[in-house]
Amino acid sequence: MKDILYLVVPCYNEEEALPYSSEKLLEKLNALISSEKVSSESRIVLVDDGSRDQTWALISSLCTGDNSLFCGVKLSRNRGHQNALLAGLDYARSRCDMAVSLDADLQDDIDAIDGFVEKYYEGCDIVYGVRSSRATDTAFKRGTAGAFYKFMTAMGAEVVDNHADYRLMSRRALNHLFDFGEVNLFLRGIVPQIGYPTAKVYYERHERVAGDSKYPLKKMLAFAFEGITSFSVRPIKFIWGAGALLAVLSAVVMLLLALLLIWFEISGLWFVALTVLLALGINLIAIGVVGEYIGKIYLETKHRPRFIVERTLPDSDTRQ
C-alpha cells in the first residue's frame, strides 16, 4: 500500500487561475495514483484565504461528488499566504503521510512532484523545490532575489537559495512544524530548523497561468523584512556598531573642526549641522528597528490564533 499524498494550495482571489490549475493538479494526482506512486486516498487541498472574488464558489464546486479528489478549507478572513499555507498543512497532517505545498498559479513545475515523491521514498522527510535558473525573471527581480538570499544568510537565517514554499514534508516533519508556535511566520526559515533528512529537486519556473501576481514589490519587501526580523537579532547588533562608528566619526569631526577654527576664520556650523543630521538619522533608524522587534514580542505574547477555519469541504470528511 502506497503512502497518502496531499497537495496543499493556498488561494487568494484566484478565480481566473483556479479552473486551469485545478485541472492540471487533478491530472498530476491521477497520474501518480495510476502509476501506484501514491495511494488512491491522496487529495488536493485548496485553501481560500479570505478571497473577495468567486474563489470559494469554485472550490465548493470542485469538492462536490463522492469521488472528488478535492478538499476545501475556508479561512474566516484573509490571513496572508504563510498562514493560509499553514492552515492547509494543519488540515492535511492528520490525513496524509506526506504533503506538498505549492501556489495556485502553477509557476512551480508540478512535474517536479514526481521527484519529491521519489526522494520521500528514499527516506527524506523534507524535499525542497529549487529553481534551476531565473531566466524568466526580470534583471531587477533576479538581482533583488539574489540579494535577499545572501542577506538572509548574512543575518544568520538558515534558508535554501532559490527556494520559495514549494516543498514536500513528511507527516512527522509536519507534526514538528507545529511545535513552532510563533505568530510571525516565515516558513522558509522555520522548515530548515526541523532537521531530519532533506533533499533538493531542481525545476524550471513557468509563467503564471492566469491572473495577476499577489506579491507586488511592496509585499515582497515587507515579506523580506518579516523574514529578517523573525530569524535574526543581528540588525540590533548592527545598530550598536553604527552607534560606535558614529561616536568615532563625531570625535574626528570635532577634532578637525577645532583645528580649523584655530588656524582659519571659518564657520563651523555646517560641520555641526551634518553631525547632528547624521546622528539623528541613525537614531531614528535604531528606534525603528528596535520598535519592530518590540512589536513582534507584543504580538507573540498575545498568543492569538494564526488562522481561524470557517468551513471545510467535504462536510462529511471524517478521515483522521
Side-chain angles (χ1 to χ4, degrees), residues 169-213:
M169 298 182 70
S170 69
R171 184 172 188 169
R172 71 169 181 166
L174 284 172
N175 286 332
H176 285 296
L177 173 64
F178 285 85
D179 290 337
F180 293 80
E182 55 252 52
V183 173
N184 302 286
L185 276 181
F186 185 66
L187 293 175
R188 300 180 201 184
I190 292 176
V191 173
Q193 301 296 315
I194 296 172
Y196 289 146
T198 64
K200 298 177 182 177
V201 171
Y202 293 89
Y203 68 95
E204 291 285 343
R205 191 168 170 87
H206 305 309
E207 295 293 331
R208 185 179 173 87
V209 297
D212 299 320
S213 172

Side-chain angles (χ1 to χ4, degrees), residues 2 8 22 34 45 56 63 73 118 127 131-132 134 156 158 166 171 179 186 197 210 213 224 258 274 277 291 312:
K2 289 296 181 179
V8 178
S22 61
S34 298
V45 183
W56 180 247
C63 294
V73 176
E118 289 175 9
V127 184
R131 294 180 63 172
S132 56
R134 287 187 171 270
E158 185 180 349
Y166 188 29
R171 184 172 188 169
D179 290 337
F186 185 66
S213 172
L274 287 175
L277 287 174
T312 61

Side-chain angles (χ1 to χ4, degrees), residues 31-91:
L32 289 168
I33 294 172
S34 298
S35 60
E36 297 185 346
K37 293 181 178 178
V38 301
S39 167
S40 59
E41 292 297 311
S42 300
R43 296 292 184 268
I44 302 166
V45 183
L46 303 174
V47 184
D48 178 23
D49 183 24
S51 299
R52 296 190 299 270
D53 60 4
Q54 295 301 307
T55 296
W56 180 247
L58 289 170
I59 294 174
S60 298
S61 65
L62 290 169
C63 294
T64 58
D66 294 335
N67 297 319
S68 175
L69 296 183
F70 289 96
C71 302
V73 176
K74 179 177 173 57
L75 302 189
S76 60
R77 59 180 293 271
N78 178 250
R79 294 296 301 168
H81 177 272
Q82 299 289 277
N83 284 302
L85 177 54
L86 197 70
L89 294 174
D90 188 36
Y91 176 88

